[in-house]
Amino acid sequence: MSDAEFMRRAIALADERMRAGEGGPFGAVIAKDGRIVGEGWNRVIGTSDPTAHAEIVAIRDACARLGTFDLSGATIYTSCEPCPMCLGGILWARLDRMCYAANRADAAEIGFDDDAFYVEVAKPVDARALPATRILADEARAVFAAWFAKPDRVEY
């Protein structure tokens, strides 16, 4: 399949599942070695889970199907430029490439916060709208040190 064919599938998922009332108009497909290994659509409404964005659902599906947390060698096709959360998931999953259709400005025009969240994430922690207080850093770093010293740790 071509990039356009994979993207058409992502867009079709967005349309089908949005019309079914499962969530917003977003779909995603993950392909590896010329075949679809994961699919997702926005499931926020249907699952009452604000993290159930199309890209995250597709990553979870691909990882479950492939039995791995590392999607190196794969490409994600998403009907809209990912929000910061989804971009983070894409980076953590180690996907090699991303193709998107609509962008964050298009999403903002229909009422989605993606662009505003990009602006917020770019600010220093103490300048963000969400108050954040750092506490017990030494205790948390002690757990980090224990993990780093663990001879059988699995890095990701």
Side-chain angles (χ1 to χ4, degrees):
M1 292 177 70
S2 68
D3 283 345
E5 289 170 310
F6 288 127
M7 185 61 78
R8 281 192 184 98
R9 176 64 184 151
I11 293 168
L13 283 169
D15 187 49
E16 292 165 13
R17 302 307 177 148
M18 176 269 303
R19 291 181 190 280
E22 294 182 23
F26 305 98
V29 166
I30 296 175
K32 186 173 183 177
D33 300 325
R35 65 184 179 91
I36 293 174
V37 296
E39 292 187 334
W41 54 90
N42 185 285
R43 301 189 69 208
V44 170
I45 295 168
T47 62
S48 299
D49 177 356
T51 69
H53 291 195
E55 298 90 343
I56 300 298
V57 173
I59 289 167
R60 291 173 181 162
D61 184 41
C63 289
R65 287 191 205 191
L66 298 175
T68 184
F69 56 81
D70 184 344
L71 297 177
S72 295
T75 297
I76 187 163
Y77 298 86
T78 179
S79 66
C80 185
E81 178 183 5
C83 73
M85 175 186 70
C86 293
L87 179 59
I90 290 164
L91 294 171
W92 276 111
R94 310 295 185 212
L95 286 148
D96 282 8
R97 190 167 154 249
M98 175 180 77
C99 296
Y100 64 95
N103 66 22
R104 62 178 107 158
D106 299 323
E109 285 181 14
I110 60 167
F112 287 94
D113 294 329
D114 304 47
D115 191 50
F117 290 165
Y118 268 101
V119 170
E120 188 68 16
V121 168
K123 295 177 184 176
V125 172
D126 61 351
R128 294 180 185 153
L130 178 68
T133 305
R134 186 175 183 194
I135 60 173
L136 302 177
D138 290 339
E139 292 178 31
R141 283 193 298 265
V143 177
F144 281 9
W147 180 85
F148 188 72
K150 195 174 185 291
D152 62 341
R153 74 177 183 266
V154 176
E155 299 201 22
Y156 56 96

